[in-house]
Amino acid sequence: MHTFNGILLVDKPAELSSFGVVGRVRWSLSQITGKKVKVGHTGTLDPFATGLMIIVVGEYCKRAGEFSKLDKAYEATVRLGETSTTGDPEGEITKKSDKMTTLEEI
C-alpha cells in the first residue's frame, strides 16, 4: 500500500479550475492507493489563467500556508481601449475605443 506526502508542481492549463486540478490529482492518487488521499493547493488561479500551482498531498496539507507566503511573479497581456463587464477575459466586451495613440503622445 502506498502513502503519499509531499508537494507536486502542476502547470495548470487554461479552462481548468484550481479545484479541477486538485480533483484530478486526488482521483489519480486514490486510484494508486486504493483509498482517498488528502490533497489541497496553496493558491487559486482563475479558470482562464495558466501557471504553476503548488499541490500539497497528505501531511503536507498542514503546511499549505508556508507555501502560499512565497514570492510570486505574474505575466499578463493587456488590451488597451476595451472595457468588459468583469475586467477579465470571461466578461463581455462592452466598449471598444478606436482611438490610436503613439508612445510619444503618452
Side-chain angles (χ1 to χ4, degrees), residues 77-88:
T77 301
V78 179
R79 184 169 290 156
L80 301 175
E82 290 186 356
T83 303
S84 76
T85 56
T86 60
D88 61 36

Side-chain angles (χ1 to χ4, degrees), residues 34-102:
K35 63 181 182 177
K36 187 174 180 181
V37 177
K38 190 172 183 180
V39 178
H41 62 80
T42 64
T44 303
L45 290 173
D46 288 324
F48 60 82
T50 61
L52 190 64
M53 286 185 62
I54 301 174
I55 304 296
V56 287
V57 181
E59 293 296 317
Y60 274 66
C61 289
K62 297 175 186 173
R63 298 179 60 193
E66 294 176 41
F67 300 109
S68 63
K69 294 176 185 174
L70 297 173
D71 289 340
K72 299 164 187 70
Y74 299 92
E75 286 185 26
T77 301
V78 179
R79 184 169 290 156
L80 301 175
E82 290 186 356
T83 303
S84 76
T85 56
T86 60
D88 61 36
E90 294 181 326
E92 179 183 339
I93 302 299
T94 57
K95 180 180 170 186
K96 285 188 180 184
S97 173
D98 294 329
K99 182 178 179 183
M100 299 294 285
T101 304
T102 63

